[in-house]
Amino acid sequence: MPSTRFDADIILVGGGLVGLSFAIAAGQAGLSVLVLDAAPPAASLAPGFDGRVSALGRASTRLMGALGVWPRLTPYAQPILDIIVTDGRVGSGPSPLGLHFDHLDGNPDTSGQALGHIIENRHIRAALYNKISGIEQISIRAPAKVLAARSDGYGATVQLADGASVRGHLCVAADGRESVLRKAAGIKSIAWDYAQSGIVATVLHAQPHGGLAHEYFLPGGPFAVLPITGNRSSLVWTEPTRRAQALMALNHADFDSELRARFGSQWGEIKSEGPRWVYPLSFHHARDYVVDRLVLAGDAAHTIHPIAGQGLNLGLRDVAALAEVLVDAHRLGLDIGAATVLERYQAWRRFDNVSLAAVTDILNRLFSNDVPLLRLARDIGLGIAGQIGPLRRLAMRHAAGDVGKLPRLMTGDAL
Ligand SMILES: Cc1cc2nc3c(=O)[nH]c(=O)nc-3n(C[C@H](O)[C@H](O)[C@H](O)COP(=O)(O)OP(=O)(O)OC[C@H]3O[C@@H](n4cnc5c(N)ncnc54)[C@H](O)[C@@H]3O)c2cc1C
């Protein structure tokens, strides 16, 4: 007879940005959540743990507002006022044909609002932990490395590497792109390696950025300059992995001269500051998000190329949809781990995730090369797209996450 003793309604594996956001959404709505993470909070909150920034679209910032986290983020949030997308070559500067997204050019109801906000991941993680500490329904056990989850008719039992096990009605796997739980459950993914890596560094510049984000497509991969607070920008510089490793090995002066060969002049004098990070880039999309009281969310379900800065935004849409489905079921007195409940989440999220994964993959293949005919076609394509107002505004709404059936939390409402 399976045990009817539960440690929490939900066992959540993975205290990354997706997992912590989900814990808050579910916990505030009355479900008890036990968060398990392999890394102790002192390690994941240390400044060197994650050098990335996240460009949060408008829908994601509304979610942070509904979770009560946004006030903790505003001191660190840089509004994006303009985005310029251009093609180019190192040394010869950007192509004159390009796309310009201006926050003043939106739909009438959003015109004048920032296109999104850029925040360093370390500040988002700290704000989420801070919020969680005040929610009684959430407990965190870390370090706690998880090996697998197994289910029976009543609940899911999660097995830890130290021999202990915990039990809930449901297990949510937000354990990242190498998800141990996805693999242990035998869920297959469509996956490939980009043979590219993204170098992340902070750049100080003499001139203010004015909220401008610049996506510059170079033959080795996209070179994104993302404005953050102060006269600083964060760089996501994609190159074939071997080239990225060579760049990582350069001393500061040589790295900065490579930077100068790529940066435009509008930022004035520039120099890199602090450590650099490098992230190998790969794609995967799980064939199923749901199996036997186990649900995948965030990078555990899908990992996409960072070319459009959308991976976390997708994960947060998973969070909002999953929390809504579970909380509604709980209020109706239904079993939150029942297949019929969980399939609602899968049906809601799959199309959006697959579409954006495909778009980012195609963009990367189209732009990360120096084939002359393709170069000409994409320059003309960018130029034409930039001239068609409705197309440009549709792309802006997609980037903001303001399309499709939005979960309540993403409209800014409570659950
Ligand atoms: C260079 C780069 C730039 C990016 N920029 C953007 C951007 O601008 N905007 C955007 O939206 N997205 C961006 N992304 C994507 C975004 O960073 C990810 O989608 C997001 O961080 C995924 O979060 P997650 O919580 O799902 O997974 P993760 O952050 O990987 O968290 C997984 C957690 O699970 C824990 N864990 C793993 N295995 C176990 C186990 N066995 N037991 C217990 N715990 C475990 C880990 O310790 C970790 O805390 C970028 C990605 C890259 C690589």
Side-chain angles (χ1 to χ4, degrees):
M1 172 74 185
S3 167
T4 50
R5 183 194 61 85
F6 294 101
D7 297 283
D9 292 322
I10 300 169
I11 308 297
L12 169 67
V13 181
L17 302 185
V18 168
L20 295 174
S21 304
F22 172 77
I24 298 171
Q28 284 191 153
L31 289 164
S32 60
V33 185
L34 170 59
V35 185
L36 306 172
D37 198 283
S44 54
L45 288 168
F49 181 76
D50 185 348
R52 288 171 297 185
V53 302
S54 293
L56 296 182
R58 276 196 292 264
S60 297
T61 57
R62 286 195 298 267
L63 167 84
M64 289 298 167
L67 297 184
V69 176
W70 188 243
R72 293 170 162 86
L73 291 176
T74 45
Y76 311 107
Q78 169 61 50
I80 309 171
L81 303 180
D82 292 273
I83 303 174
I84 291 181
V85 182
T86 47
D87 203 359
R89 276 203 189 96
V90 180
S92 60
S95 152
L97 294 172
L99 260 173
H100 178 197
F101 300 108
D102 182 340
H103 72 296
L104 296 173
D105 172 36
N107 300 301
D109 53 332
T110 54
S111 177
Q113 288 179 22
L115 296 167
H117 287 81
I118 300 184
I119 312 172
E120 288 149 275
N121 283 7
R122 63 193 173 106
H123 293 311
I124 305 178
R125 188 172 276 106
L128 293 169
Y129 262 108
N130 199 290
K131 178 73 191 175
I132 280 178
S133 64
I135 304 175
E136 214 177 282
Q137 291 288 82
I138 307 174
S139 45
I140 299 185
R141 196 186 293 186
K145 191 171 175 208
V146 167
L147 298 180
R150 128 181 88 71
S151 81
D152 50 58
Y154 300 93
T157 304
V158 175
Q159 211 187 317
L160 277 65
D162 65 6
S165 64
V166 289
R167 193 166 156 78
H169 296 287
L170 167 72
C171 173
V172 174
D175 51 346
R177 70 175 170 181
E178 294 304 328
S179 174
V180 164
L181 287 179
R182 181 184 75 236
K183 291 176 187 171
I187 300 175
K188 298 269 182 287
S189 275
I190 300 167
W192 52 82
D193 191 342
Y194 282 114
Q196 288 176 320
S197 293
I199 297 173
V200 171
T202 302
V203 178
L204 298 181
H205 32 81
Q207 300 299 328
H209 48 55
L212 168 73
H214 192 171
E215 181 81 292
Y216 187 20
F217 293 120
L218 295 171
F223 183 89
V225 182
L226 307 170
I228 50 179
T229 51
N231 273 12
R232 301 180 306 148
S233 291
S234 174
L235 188 69
V236 183
W237 178 358
T238 309
E239 288 281 355
T241 292
R242 263 215 209 141
R243 172 95 184 109
Q245 281 161 352
L247 288 164
M248 286 297 288
L250 293 178
N251 61 35
H252 259 281
D254 291 344
F255 185 78
D256 285 359
S257 77
E258 292 284 347
L259 274 185
R260 287 186 192 105
R262 289 160 177 81
F263 251 76
S265 53
Q266 72 263 39
W267 290 271
E269 189 49 38
I270 57 155
K271 64 172 184 187
S272 62
E273 182 201 46
R276 300 167 216 153
W277 290 262
V278 65
Y279 297 87
L281 304 180
S282 60
F283 174 99
H284 96 87
H285 186 262
R287 288 184 195 274
D288 297 294
Y289 297 175
V290 165
V291 58
D292 295 342
R293 293 182 185 270
L294 174 70
V295 190
L296 308 180
D299 272 24
H302 42 75
T303 300
I304 63 173
H305 197 285
I307 191 165
Q310 287 295 329
L312 177 61
N313 286 289
L314 278 188
L316 294 177
R317 302 220 272 275
D318 293 350
V319 163
L322 181 59
E324 182 167 324
V325 162
L326 296 181
V327 167
D328 286 354
H330 181 64
R331 287 184 183 146
L332 290 171
L334 302 175
D335 172 6
I336 59 168
T340 45
V341 172
L342 303 183
E343 272 154 18
R344 264 194 70 209
Y345 159 71
Q346 170 159 292
W348 195 346
R349 293 301 307 140
R350 181 178 282 280
F351 179 73
D352 181 33
N353 287 334
V354 171
S355 327
L356 207 83
V359 167
T360 53
D361 187 66
I362 291 166
L363 279 179
N364 184 52
R365 284 172 203 275
L366 189 63
F367 282 95
S368 297
N369 65 72
D370 205 12
V371 180
L373 261 181
L374 263 184
R375 171 177 288 280
L376 182 67
R378 68 201 187 206
D379 278 9
I380 294 172
L382 278 180
I384 293 174
Q387 295 308 312
I388 304 175
L391 188 62
R392 202 176 53 238
R393 286 190 278 278
L394 181 68
M396 282 162 74
R397 283 184 52 217
H398 271 277
D402 270 339
V403 284
K405 185 189 168 223
L406 289 181
R408 293 201 289 276
L409 287 171
M410 291 212 131
T411 62
D413 292 334
L415 272 182

